[in-house]
Amino acid sequence: MKKQDYDQHSKWLASRRGILKGAAGLGALAATGALGMGGSSLFAQPAMAQAGDLRAQLLAVPGVGAGSPTDADWQKVGEMVLDATKKNVKEGEFAGVELTFMGLNNQNLHNMLFRGFLKPWEAYTGAKINWIDLAQADYNARLQQSIATGTVDFDVIEMGAPFEGDVCGKGLASEMPDWVKAQIDMDDYVGYLKAPVGTWNGKTYRVSIDGDCHTFNHRTDVFADADLAKAWKEEGNAGEWAVPKTWQQVQAATKFLKGKKLGGQDLYGYLDAPKAWGGFGFYFLGSRATAYAKHPDDKAWLFDADTMKPRINNPAWVRAIQDVIDALPSEPADQINADPNTTAFQQFLGGTGSMVSWWGDVGSNAKTSDTSVVGDVTGFSILPGSDDVYNAKTGQWDKLASGPNYAPNMAFLGWGVYVMSRVDADEKKKKAAWSAAAHLGGKDIALWMSAYPSGFQPYRNSQFNIPEWVAAGYDEAFITAYLNANKDSYNHPNAAIEPRIPGIFQYYSIAEDELAKTFAGQNTAQQGADAIAAAWEKLTDQIGREKQIELYKASLGL
């Protein structure tokens, strides 16, 4: 998104904020009897930080309910966490060093924050950073071009673990020095982000700055409304009107809400993201599919582990594709042209839609972004389950004795910061690059990034200390639900783990292209899935099937 477009969009949302905030607030009052979940106001002042309590002081910048953080706030945070750098780097030690950093400019977050965080680091160390900003939809193509042509023109990159096969597997990354491991406290990472994630052939390459999974975000006022509950019953729907727990219930609620209103505003149910997004949009179909496709007795769900035969055209995935096709007529007009940014930042946070699957940005933005009107009426859970799950080994749909099948989608395995091997020949430049990466991946700055709009969600065990968030001004009920949705996804025994194999985003991009045709009505769900499977088979043969099988099994722990 261009900066001027973002600014214009922000002004537009601000004008809507008063209207929609009022409507959402009325719903919250009806649902809870008080403004804000847990009985505390969104605009409560953060508790005063005790002297020396760095984490409390960080969370007071700018303060929950004080509006969106600015560049001045990002620089302040970067200055506050600089002591870790000072223990390993002398003042001015990197004078004369220039680094090129490639990353995202998604929603004016990511690289925009890094600039602010690293300005105090530049001032202290003497290094200078040049920036390459990419839109999310352009990211994979730019990276793959650099790899294919051997023209890596950056020293540091913001990158997700799925790309490790393409980058680390080809010797393009620099191995992490031991002093960096100590500075960033890697032992604090949640379990699923520890090795082998971030490693290749036993060597560590990644500074984690994010822990990705998709969670389910919903409007609490919509699902607590008495009039909607009455209409739900009168129209003959099964069960009580409540937050959906399965995808079958999501479909029913989405069709029911079409044409309904709350507080004078049109209601919609689930928000799909059918528009291609540089491969990243495939995760959103994946989040509809995992409960159908990830069987508790089988670690694989994208490919057969022994053959790399695609599962994308099996009955589970075809059902998920058909779900999108069936739901689109009940979703907002022109939803077929909505990408994931639209569903989260423009629609859900702006008051349109009642349910959306997304990374953790929805939770942090709901309370701390000027563009959100739903901070008091947003709830969270792991992704919905399914009444049955497809067993790829037997070719049958199984109903589990334990109830619905849940399989949270560990989409993207989180962003990290990687240093390129092209700096290894220059020890001063290498240390500077790793110091910059360590500054962004520190334990305390991680808490701030997960509490405020940044593009990142919790990825450290220390970030799940609920009293810290409450002291900062978050409602206890809100933040408990948010953190539990993340933690329960990370630790779920049937989590759908993404494979770190070469070309994974080529697979995803191929799928997006075929899905676009399918959602536009050019193919049936089965025809579209078959086309994806055929293209995936060709890609696997091009990359090397036996090597892909080996790496796929390793990524699944087989």
Side-chain angles (χ1 to χ4, degrees):
M1 178 179 283
K2 294 179 181 177
K3 187 176 189 301
Q4 60 265 34
D5 294 338
Y6 179 85
D7 291 341
Q8 183 178 5
H9 170 64
S10 296
K11 291 177 182 176
W12 174 75
L13 268 179
S15 68
R16 296 185 70 209
R17 184 178 174 88
I19 299 172
L20 291 174
K21 183 92 176 165
L26 287 173
L29 286 167
T32 67
L35 179 60
M37 289 176 287
S40 61
S41 169
L42 169 63
F43 298 101
Q45 292 297 314
M48 291 296 292
Q50 295 179 358
D53 189 350
L54 174 62
R55 290 167 71 85
Q57 293 169 4
L58 283 168
L59 288 179
V61 181
V64 176
S68 297
T70 65
D71 183 61
D73 294 317
W74 303 331
Q75 291 188 48
K76 185 174 183 179
V77 169
E79 176 72 29
M80 292 171 72
V81 299
L82 202 55
D83 280 352
T85 294
K86 293 178 179 179
K87 292 177 182 177
N88 292 308
V89 179
K90 297 177 182 177
E91 187 171 2
E93 184 174 338
F94 303 142
V97 172
E98 286 198 27
L99 300 171
T100 299
F101 190 118
M102 188 168 91
L104 290 186
N105 184 16
N106 186 7
Q107 293 294 316
N108 268 15
L109 301 173
H110 294 259
N111 265 16
M112 302 303 289
L113 274 73
F114 298 159
R115 279 174 167 82
F117 292 152
L118 284 166
K119 279 182 181 177
W121 177 89
E122 289 178 277
Y124 173 76
T125 67
K128 181 180 185 298
I129 298 178
N130 302 308
W131 298 90
I132 300 174
D133 301 321
L134 299 174
Q136 188 123 16
D138 299 331
Y139 181 91
N140 179 54
R142 175 65 164 81
L143 177 58
Q144 296 301 335
Q145 180 186 35
S146 298
I147 296 169
T149 60
T151 55
V152 173
D153 57 349
F154 45 86
D155 304 302
V156 186
I157 183 173
E158 176 196 18
M159 188 179 82
F163 292 107
E164 288 174 357
D166 295 311
V167 174
C168 304
K170 294 179 181 177
L172 298 175
S174 174
E175 183 180 359
M176 182 187 291
D178 288 340
W179 65 267
V180 175
K181 297 178 184 178
Q183 180 174 325
I184 63 177
D185 190 5
M186 296 182 71
D187 289 341
D188 189 38
Y189 290 176
V190 295
Y192 97 103
L193 289 179
K194 292 180 179 178
V197 170
T199 70
W200 203 262
N201 292 330
K203 296 181 179 180
T204 301
Y205 295 99
R206 165 188 167 107
V207 173
S208 287
I209 56 171
D210 182 27
D212 276 341
C213 65
H214 274 191
T215 58
F216 187 62
N217 310 274
H218 63 269
R219 285 277 295 270
T220 57
D221 55 339
V222 171
F223 290 103
D225 186 76
D227 290 337
L228 290 173
K230 181 180 177 183
W232 174 261
K233 285 275 191 183
E234 290 174 347
E235 293 179 23
N237 292 290
E240 298 296 321
W241 177 242
V243 178
K245 299 295 185 185
T246 66
W247 284 109
Q248 289 86 353
Q249 293 171 359
V250 169
Q251 289 293 92
T254 298
K255 293 176 182 179
F256 164 74
L257 285 171
K258 174 73 170 180
K260 302 291 194 301
K261 290 180 180 290
L262 180 66
Q265 299 295 319
D266 291 332
L267 289 177
Y268 296 96
Y270 189 74
L271 300 169
D272 281 298
K275 185 179 179 181
W277 205 40
F280 289 89
F282 182 73
Y283 288 117
F284 292 81
L285 176 66
S287 288
R288 269 193 175 270
T290 51
Y292 300 154
K294 174 63 182 69
H295 197 285
D297 296 336
D298 188 352
K299 289 188 175 183
W301 56 286
L302 271 176
F303 305 91
D304 285 339
D306 294 325
T307 64
M308 279 294 290
K309 178 183 177 182
R311 293 186 178 178
I312 188 70
N313 60 336
N314 74 13
W317 282 92
V318 171
R319 181 196 277 182
I321 296 170
Q322 188 64 51
D323 277 357
V324 178
I325 294 170
D326 293 343
L328 282 172
S330 299
E331 298 181 29
D334 200 36
Q335 192 69 16
I336 195 169
N337 289 316
D339 66 19
N341 266 350
T342 300
T343 63
F345 297 100
Q346 296 180 32
Q347 292 182 319
F348 188 83
L349 290 171
T352 297
S354 305
M355 299 171 281
V356 68
S357 297
W358 234 83
W359 290 287
D361 306 71
V362 169
S364 59
N365 278 263
K367 288 285 193 183
T368 60
S369 172
D370 290 337
T371 62
S372 172
V373 302
V374 295
D376 292 326
V377 291
T378 302
F380 312 93
S381 67
I382 65 172
L383 289 176
S386 171
D387 295 331
D388 52 3
V389 56
Y390 186 70
N391 189 328
K393 295 179 178 178
T394 65
Q396 302 293 320
W397 287 93
D398 292 344
K399 284 203 170 185
L400 306 179
S402 57
N405 182 57
Y406 293 89
N409 184 13
M410 299 293 102
F412 200 59
L413 299 174
W415 290 102
V417 179
Y418 301 74
V419 174
M420 296 295 99
S421 59
R422 76 179 202 151
V423 306
D424 286 348
D426 184 335
E427 282 299 323
K428 184 176 178 181
K429 191 170 187 178
K430 177 182 177 181
K431 184 177 181 182
W434 275 111
S435 178
H439 180 68
L440 295 176
K443 184 174 182 177
D444 296 321
I445 201 171
L447 177 64
W448 190 94
M449 284 197 286
S450 63
Y452 289 97
S454 65
F456 313 110
Q457 65 197 72
Y459 69 96
R460 291 173 169 274
N461 292 315
S462 60
Q463 289 170 292
F464 291 89
N465 180 9
I466 290 173
E468 274 191 319
W469 295 72
V470 174
Y474 271 93
D475 299 340
E476 186 171 1
F478 176 99
I479 199 58
T480 299
Y482 172 71
L483 292 176
N484 284 347
N486 284 271
K487 183 172 64 174
D488 293 347
S489 298
Y490 294 156
N491 297 323
H492 200 281
N494 195 38
I497 303 296
E498 181 169 22
R500 296 181 304 136
I501 57 175
I504 189 64
F505 263 73
Q506 292 170 262
Y507 290 102
Y508 293 168
S509 294
I510 288 169
E512 281 191 343
D513 291 342
E514 293 297 334
L515 288 168
K517 301 174 189 176
T518 301
F519 296 144
Q522 297 178 27
N523 298 314
T524 65
Q526 186 68 62
Q527 289 169 339
D530 287 342
I532 296 169
W536 281 11
E537 286 279 56
K538 290 181 182 178
L539 179 57
T540 296
D541 286 333
Q542 289 171 8
I543 296 174
R545 187 171 297 270
E546 293 306 313
K547 187 64 174 177
Q548 289 292 78
I549 291 171
E550 177 187 343
L551 293 174
Y552 184 50
K553 284 185 172 181
S555 70
L556 296 176
L558 295 173

